[in-house]
Amino acid sequence: MLPTIIALGIAATGFDEVAADTVLNKTITYFDISGHTADDLLKEILRHGPLIRPDGERHPGVTKTSFGGDYTSAESGGRCVVQSARVIVDAHIILPRWKDRELADERLGLAWDALSRESLLHEEHHVQIALMHGKALEKAILDLRPRRTCKELEDAKDVLAAQTLVNHDLDQRRFDLNESADFERLWINFWMSDWDQTHAK
């Protein structure tokens, strides 16, 4: 499982117009690992991989996402209405990069390549899940009915934002659960390629 870390904050702004178009800011960074066997690489991942828990647990890959943005509201006819809203989704993918890949045994290298490709696709899907929820949140804010005061409207927006976090987290966890069998197979292939090469010598 490659976990997703989430946070949320959407602030009111003083602008008259804010384009209602969900924005995605995505970055990918790599942490270097080195070694000549699968065991070497695992030790490097456990040493240098991204932290996913305060207790120091690390993971080979992670997607950190956050939701931010802004919205405007105004008094109209004795009611407060949403004028505009924009949600910004920030996504940061972190994955390992094997520095010694070009020196690897062919079978181990090909197994690593397959694992790397699938890991990136997996993390990209986490980003798309976050973007989907960002778009849904933006639409929900724009569809908010007028309230008696702008404070009531902001409270309603905060309820939507909190529910977005819950739904987003559930969808991310569900995706990881559905993908777990495929990733287990890829890791087994990776370890077996190293085991076969070692015992063939």
Side-chain angles (χ1 to χ4, degrees), residues 2-15:
L2 303 185
T4 299
I5 302 171
I6 57 177
L8 179 61
I10 298 178
T13 73
F15 298 109

Side-chain angles (χ1 to χ4, degrees), residues 25 72 94 115 118 120 130 133 135 156 161 176 190:
N25 297 322
T72 61
I94 305 173
L115 185 60
E118 290 302 316
L120 178 58
H133 282 279
K135 288 179 179 292
D176 273 331
F190 179 58

Side-chain angles (χ1 to χ4, degrees), residues 2-157:
L2 303 185
T4 299
I5 302 171
I6 57 177
L8 179 61
I10 298 178
T13 73
F15 298 109
D16 292 332
E17 293 270 349
V18 177
D21 188 14
T22 307
V23 176
L24 172 63
N25 297 322
K26 183 182 72 174
T27 58
I28 303 176
T29 60
Y30 294 88
F31 62 94
D32 288 333
I33 59 174
S34 60
H36 302 288
T37 67
D39 190 55
D40 291 339
L41 299 179
L42 176 60
K43 290 177 181 177
E44 286 281 283
I45 288 172
L46 293 177
R47 185 179 299 115
H48 302 295
L51 286 168
I52 61 171
R53 287 186 183 177
D55 63 5
E57 181 180 350
R58 296 180 182 272
H59 206 273
V62 67
T63 297
K64 299 181 179 182
T65 63
S66 63
F67 298 87
D70 41 44
Y71 82 108
T72 61
S73 60
E75 297 284 349
S76 176
R79 309 282 282 179
C80 188
V81 300
V82 174
Q83 286 189 315
S84 58
R86 177 181 60 181
V87 171
I88 300 172
V89 179
D90 290 308
H92 182 199
I93 296 173
I94 305 173
L95 290 168
R97 177 170 52 201
W98 186 7
K99 292 193 302 181
D100 308 316
R101 167 63 184 86
E102 68 279 4
L103 302 177
D105 163 74
E106 181 179 5
R107 187 172 177 185
L108 181 63
L110 291 174
W112 172 263
D113 292 344
L115 185 60
S116 296
R117 284 193 301 270
E118 290 302 316
S119 294
L120 178 58
L121 288 174
H122 179 94
E123 298 306 325
E124 291 280 8
H125 196 88
H126 275 304
V127 174
Q128 291 306 310
I129 291 173
L131 182 59
M132 176 187 69
H133 282 279
K135 288 179 179 292
L137 175 58
E138 186 173 271
K139 183 179 185 304
I141 293 174
L142 290 169
D143 289 344
L144 279 172
R145 62 178 177 80
R147 299 296 200 275
R148 289 179 302 171
T149 67
C150 288
K151 175 63 169 61
E152 289 182 5
L153 190 63
E154 184 170 359
D155 289 344
K157 179 268 297 178

